[in-house]
């Protein structure tokens, strides 16, 4: 098959143009995390091509469906962009290399075994003859792909593991990058929308006649049962008219729900008899009852909005024979499915064109309400492209929020200060129950226990002789979502802050207390030791500086942090965070460093200043003035220790987010003697400076 520009497609992953340009097709989405560069590195490694001539493009989900899902999973979340597609992307590059070499050998009438490839040049070793990939691509594309091509040993890697420059940077800094909010199509109209601000409510009535004569207004339409949109010549005209539109809402049964009533519901689960058990070892009840000392604490973590800089948007064009959608999405196939459902057309009459995202963090992954809305609006304006762009306020109040959660932790220490029993009870929302109920295990949401699992990608790093970890599911009307890092964020705070509480009660050093419990978890211990050593744990800190530790396994990677803070009154300065990560393989170390620092911005902003509260059934925070983020001047120095041990593929974008907050909270306690267990810290008068 040929690419859209007519260049020969060697296989689904690799297109080579006559000028030796290599186009790597990337099914995963780019939202600032560097995935397209990392995936291109892996394909280029096996292809043995000239890296300076590598570029990328997105295949469409419609093409993938037509070709029996040749590109596999389009989903980009859970830090799986590279770790779950590395093998088949590398095989795509390796297979293309073998075909190119075979095409050259055929032209020379020599055995392929006498030929080698490097830097997009094929050489016949006995004679020294050479040719380029671009010259043989046409012939290579006609060959039957080999059944199984061996991949390189990691020791042979030349591009994987190198801090190459990102492929998407130039367009972003020059303004050439087109995001969904920038998209322009011939004859396009613009729309914005308001959905019932109380989840579960719907539209009662609206007075379209009051705004139809306003400048630029073309249409005022109902969208499903829950929303109203205005379509106009410009987006600002649509927004101005929608703001003036009288709408009466049927707010439904949730109109009196508040943060306080939700908190009481969760509190009831902390001591409830019924709970879903994830891990049970020994007899926790007896161990704690017979302990020399009992330690108990209750923690709480709030709703959080993803708040990407680019609000939700999608552009749709509908006719009876074709529905096309242009959308920034973390999952092209899910956007495609939403398009099919909303349009009512079969797959062969629909297409979705992915656009780089102006932030995602999970909001644009499992949730494509904005795609559904765009198609439903476009169906009412057939033949005309309509770009739906949410306001910032709509984006804030119609989110899919980080789940609200409480935890009660009870530990028992023997006379020597050893942890003999631990019960961790979670009480709060289940994301899977709301989003993917088919993935529940006998009603239990295993994703709730991230970082606390007995094995797998989120393994608990401690061995406790008597252990019970369970979850009292308490769902709310506020829809939960996969917020960057998801459940490791609160679980790391609950567990790692409580570990410091236990160490304090035992009269032991926080690091030594942990080490005794980690002898059977060498990779967990390795990253914890690495940050402790680099930060100088056990040695005197500078005057007025206090340290705190945390570690976790998440998304297949082992991560740890040591934070240094100074506290003056209610003002906290996070001076330095040393972070270690073992992701198995490090594709682009420079990008990993950026992801670590970026994840800390997200994690620290949340713990210091972010929460979404509920009043009269609706989210109260409507913009960045009430849902703030840390500033550049508040950013600590971040020292990254990248220590890939090989043999597995862990994630990068999400794992480290979880250790920043508990490390800082533990350092804050060491500075002040005050243990904070509910968040954000601003609610306690504590400011980040």
């Amino acid at each position: 098959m040929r690419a859209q520009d007519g260049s020969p497609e060697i296989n689904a992953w690799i297109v080579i143009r006559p000028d030796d340009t290599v186009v790597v097709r990337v099914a995963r989405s780019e939202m600032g995390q560097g995935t397209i560069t990392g995936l291109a590195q892996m394909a280029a490694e096996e292809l043995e091509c000239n890296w300076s001539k590598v570029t990328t493009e997105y295949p469409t989900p419609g093409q993938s469906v037509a070709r029996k899902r040749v590109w596999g999973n389009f989903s980009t979340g859970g830090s799986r962009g590279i770790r779950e597609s590395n093998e088949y992307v590398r095989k795509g590059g390796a297979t293309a290399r073998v075909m190119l070499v075979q095409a050259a050998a055929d032209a020379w009438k020599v055995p392929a075994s006498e030929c080698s490839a490097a830097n997009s040049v094929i050489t016949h070793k006995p004679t020294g003859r050479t040719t380029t990939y671009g010259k043989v691509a046409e012939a290579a594309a006609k060959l039957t792909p080999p059944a199984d091509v061996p991949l390189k040993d990691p020791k042979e890697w030349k591009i994987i593991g190198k801090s190459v420059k990102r492929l998407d940077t130039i367009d972003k800094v020059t303004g050439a990058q087109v995001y969904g909010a920038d998209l322009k199509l011939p004859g396009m109209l613009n729309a914005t929308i308001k959905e019932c601000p109380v989840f579960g409510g719907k539209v009662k009535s609206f007075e379209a006649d009051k705004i139809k004569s306003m400048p630029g207004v073309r249409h005022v339409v109902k969208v499903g049962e829950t929303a109203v949109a205005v379509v106009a010549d410009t987006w600002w005209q649509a927004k101005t008219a929608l703001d003036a539109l009288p709408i009466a809402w049927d707010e439904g049964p949730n109109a009196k729900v508040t943060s306080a009533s939700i908190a009481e519901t969760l509190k009831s689960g902390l001591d409830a008899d019924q709970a879903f058990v994830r891990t049970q070892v020994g007899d926790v009840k007896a161990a704690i009852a017979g302990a020399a000392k009992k330690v108990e604490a209750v923690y709480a973590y709030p709703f959080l909005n993803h708040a990407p800089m680019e609000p939700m948007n999608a552009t749709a064009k509908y006719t009876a024979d074709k529905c096309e959608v242009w959308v920034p999405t973390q999952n092209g196939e899910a956007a495609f499915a939403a398009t099919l459902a909303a349009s009512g057309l079969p797959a062969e009459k629909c297409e979705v064109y992915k656009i780089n995202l102006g932030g995602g963090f999970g909001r644009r992954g499992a949730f494509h309400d904005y795609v559904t809305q765009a198609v439903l609006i476009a169906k009412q304006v057939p033949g005309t492209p309509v770009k739906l762009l949410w306001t910032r306020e709509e984006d804030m109040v119609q989110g899919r929020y980080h789940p609200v959660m409480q935890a009660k932790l009870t530990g028992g220490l023997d006379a020597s200060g050893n942890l003999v029993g631990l019960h961790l009870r979670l009480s709060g929302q289940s994301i899977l129950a709301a989003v993917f109920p088919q993935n529940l295990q006998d009603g239990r949401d295993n994703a709730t226990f991230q970082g606390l699992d007995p094995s797998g990608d989120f393994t608990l790093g401690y061995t406790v002789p008597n252990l019970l970890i369970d979850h009292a599911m308490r769902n709310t009307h506020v829809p939960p979502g996969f917020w960057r890092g998801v459940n490791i964020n609160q679980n790391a705070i609950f567990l790692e802050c409580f570990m410091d509480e236990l160490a304090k009660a035992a009269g032991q050093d926080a690091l030594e207390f942990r080490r005794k419990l980690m002898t059977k978890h060498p990779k967990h211990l390795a990253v914890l030791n690495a940050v402790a050593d680099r930060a100088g744990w056990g040695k005197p800190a500078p005057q007025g500086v206090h340290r705190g530790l945390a570690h976790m396994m998440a998304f297949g990677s082992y991560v740890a942090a040591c934070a240094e803070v100074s506290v003056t009154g209610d003002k906290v300065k996070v001076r330095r965070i040393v972070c270690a990560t073992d992701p198995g393989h490090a594709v682009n170390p420079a990008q990993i460093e950026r992801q670590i620092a970026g994840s800390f911005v997200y994690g620290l902003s949340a713990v210091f200043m972010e929460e979404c509260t509920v009043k009269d059934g609706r989210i109260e925070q409507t913009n960045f003035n009430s849902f703030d983020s840390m500033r550049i001047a508040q950013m600590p120095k971040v020292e990254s220790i990248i220590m890939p041990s090989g043999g597995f593929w862990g994630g990068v974008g999400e794992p480290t987010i979880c250790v920043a907050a508990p490390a800082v909270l533990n350092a804050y306690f060491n500075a002040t003697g005050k243990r904070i267990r509910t968040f954000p810290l601003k609610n306690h008068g504590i400011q980040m400076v």
Side-chain angles (χ1 to χ4, degrees):
M1 294 185 66
R2 294 193 171 275
Q4 286 185 343
D5 66 359
S7 299
E9 173 190 291
I10 312 303
N11 58 36
W13 302 98
I14 304 295
V15 171
I16 295 184
R17 296 174 182 154
D19 66 355
D20 291 332
T21 296
V22 173
V23 182
V24 179
R25 287 178 172 153
V26 176
R28 309 289 183 169
S29 298
E30 179 59 54
M31 49 189 153
Q33 82 280 34
T35 287
I36 58 171
T37 301
L39 291 170
Q41 281 180 258
M42 292 195 290
E45 179 68 63
E46 297 290 347
L47 183 59
E48 292 285 1
C49 66
N50 182 343
W51 175 253
S52 68
K53 290 202 166 190
V54 171
T55 185
T56 63
E57 70 178 20
Y58 291 133
T60 70
Q63 292 169 338
S64 191
V65 168
R67 295 175 65 172
K68 299 179 181 177
R69 294 193 75 226
V70 64
W71 286 284
N73 195 337
F74 275 61
S75 176
T76 313
S79 289
R80 70 168 67 91
I82 284 175
R83 69 189 178 108
E84 288 188 6
S85 51
N86 70 86
E87 184 174 357
Y88 57 76
V89 169
R90 287 187 291 147
K91 281 187 174 177
T95 303
R97 183 194 74 243
V98 170
M99 294 168 71
L100 290 159
V101 169
Q102 185 65 58
D106 290 348
W108 291 327
K109 295 182 171 54
V110 300
S113 59
E114 293 182 1
C115 303
S116 63
N119 208 35
S120 295
V121 175
I122 303 162
T123 302
H124 181 229
K125 289 176 281 188
T127 64
R129 280 182 292 182
T130 63
T131 189
T132 66
Y133 283 2
K135 290 176 181 174
V136 299
E138 197 74 52
K142 297 172 183 175
L143 296 176
T144 301
D148 193 25
V149 179
L151 299 176
K152 288 184 182 180
D153 187 293
K155 296 173 187 171
E156 302 175 285
W157 288 344
K158 294 177 291 204
I159 299 176
I160 297 176
K162 295 292 187 295
S163 296
V164 300
K165 293 179 180 178
R166 283 177 53 158
L167 299 176
D168 56 336
T169 302
I170 291 176
D171 281 355
K172 288 177 176 176
V173 298
T174 60
Q177 172 68 58
V178 175
Y179 294 95
D182 306 319
L183 185 71
K184 290 182 174 63
L185 295 174
M188 185 180 79
L189 295 176
N190 295 270
T192 194
I193 195 166
K194 277 186 184 177
E195 190 158 8
C196 183
V198 178
F199 299 108
K202 56 188 179 182
V203 177
K204 185 187 292 181
S205 63
F206 58 97
E207 301 176 46
D209 290 343
K210 294 282 181 73
I211 65 165
K212 277 185 175 177
S213 62
M214 290 181 68
V217 173
R218 299 289 193 96
H219 307 277
V220 184
V221 299
K222 189 177 178 184
V223 185
E225 294 299 314
T226 61
V228 181
V230 173
V231 182
D233 292 334
T234 71
W235 184 82
W236 189 254
Q237 289 171 336
K239 178 194 181 299
T240 303
L242 186 59
D243 286 344
L245 176 66
I247 306 174
W249 302 107
D250 174 359
E251 296 185 345
N254 302 313
K256 294 183 179 179
V257 177
T258 66
S259 288
S261 67
I262 291 171
E264 283 301 309
T265 300
L266 268 59
K267 184 179 178 183
S268 72
L270 295 177
D271 295 303
D273 292 334
Q274 192 279 327
F276 293 105
V277 175
R278 179 60 170 150
T279 301
Q280 189 164 14
V281 179
D283 188 338
V284 168
K285 193 172 182 180
I288 293 175
K293 183 178 285 188
K294 177 181 172 182
V295 182
E296 188 172 284
V298 174
Y299 284 78
Y301 200 81
F303 293 115
L304 295 167
N305 194 299
H306 298 84
M309 286 303 295
E310 180 189 31
M312 300 302 106
N313 68 86
T315 300
K317 182 179 179 182
Y318 173 87
T319 68
D321 293 318
K322 184 78 172 178
C323 184
E324 297 174 285
V325 172
W326 294 258
V327 60
T329 170
Q330 291 178 237
N331 189 340
E333 289 184 314
F336 188 65
T339 300
L340 297 183
S343 70
L345 297 176
E348 60 269 20
K349 291 187 176 183
C350 294
E351 190 54 283
V352 166
Y353 308 101
K354 287 203 306 175
I355 304 172
N356 282 1
L357 290 67
F361 312 117
R363 178 60 176 93
R364 290 179 159 103
F367 316 101
H368 288 83
D369 43 337
Y370 50 99
V371 173
T372 299
Q373 291 174 346
V375 173
L376 292 177
I377 294 167
K379 285 179 76 173
Q380 299 181 65
V381 194
T384 301
V386 179
K387 179 166 72 178
L388 170 66
L389 174 63
W390 287 14
T391 62
R392 171 66 57 200
E393 290 75 14
E394 188 74 2
D395 204 73
M396 292 296 296
V397 302
Q398 296 296 337
R400 298 295 181 266
Y401 301 86
H402 184 293
V404 66
M405 192 69 66
Q406 293 182 17
K408 183 176 182 180
L409 301 100
T410 311
L413 301 166
D414 67 15
S416 300
N418 298 307
L419 182 61
V420 294
L422 173 65
H423 180 197
L424 195 166
R425 162 64 62 88
L426 299 167
S427 179
Q429 278 182 296
S430 159
I431 302 176
L432 294 188
V435 182
F436 299 127
Q438 68 275 17
N439 293 344
L440 295 172
Q441 304 288 317
D442 296 322
R444 184 183 69 217
D445 179 354
N446 285 346
T448 302
F449 301 96
Q450 288 178 333
L452 309 172
D453 284 344
S455 62
D457 288 348
F458 296 90
T459 302
L460 177 69
Y462 301 114
T463 300
V464 183
N466 298 281
L467 177 66
L468 176 60
I469 299 176
D470 54 11
H471 172 218
M473 192 182 293
R474 295 292 185 272
N475 293 319
T476 78
H477 81 296
V478 177
F482 301 99
W483 190 94
R484 185 179 182 183
V486 201
N487 293 297
I488 57 167
N489 296 311
Q490 70 267 19
N491 289 346
I493 290 175
F494 300 159
L495 180 66
E496 287 300 280
C497 289
F498 192 64
M499 278 294 164
D500 262 38
E501 294 198 51
L502 290 168
K504 177 76 172 174
Q508 297 176 26
D509 174 79
L511 177 60
E512 295 306 321
F513 183 81
R514 285 175 170 83
R515 281 174 169 166
K516 290 191 296 183
L517 301 169
M518 296 174 70
T519 56
K520 295 181 181 178
H521 305 275
K523 290 188 184 293
H524 289 81
L525 185 56
V527 290
L528 184 62
N529 283 337
V531 297
D533 291 346
R534 173 73 68 86
W537 188 271
K539 299 174 184 176
Q543 182 68 31
V545 174
H546 301 268
R547 298 184 179 120
L549 290 168
H551 82 96
M552 183 69 55
M553 184 189 182
F555 302 97
S557 291
Y558 303 85
V559 296
C562 183
E564 293 184 344
V565 309
S566 54
V567 181
T568 305
D570 290 327
K571 293 181 168 55
V572 178
K573 177 66 177 175
V574 184
R575 299 190 168 276
R576 174 191 184 209
I577 304 181
V578 179
C579 179
T581 180
D582 176 2
H585 295 292
V587 175
N588 190 323
Q591 189 55 33
I592 294 174
E593 289 185 4
R594 297 180 195 117
Q595 283 292 287
I596 290 171
S599 75
F600 287 177
V601 175
Y602 221 63
L604 293 177
S605 294
V607 78
F608 271 93
M609 57 191 75
E610 292 178 354
E611 69 173 331
C612 291
T613 54
V614 179
K615 182 181 180 183
D616 298 327
R618 65 193 71 199
I619 298 294
E620 291 188 276
Q621 291 70 27
T622 60
N623 213 312
F624 289 129
N625 64 323
S626 51
F627 193 83
D628 208 351
S629 179
M630 61 188 287
R631 304 299 194 264
I632 291 175
Q634 296 168 315
M635 187 68 191
K637 178 184 178 183
V638 177
E639 295 180 31
S640 301
I641 307 169
I642 302 168
M643 43 192 294
S645 58
F648 64 96
W649 292 84
V652 168
E654 293 176 274
T656 55
I657 187 175
C658 71
V659 289
V664 167
L665 291 167
N666 287 334
Y668 178 82
F669 174 83
N670 292 332
T672 64
K674 297 176 185 175
R675 178 60 66 182
I676 309 297
R677 301 188 184 93
T678 62
F679 310 101
L681 295 176
K682 72 174 184 180
N683 291 349
H684 303 272
I686 300 170
Q687 293 181 312
M688 188 182 202
V689 295

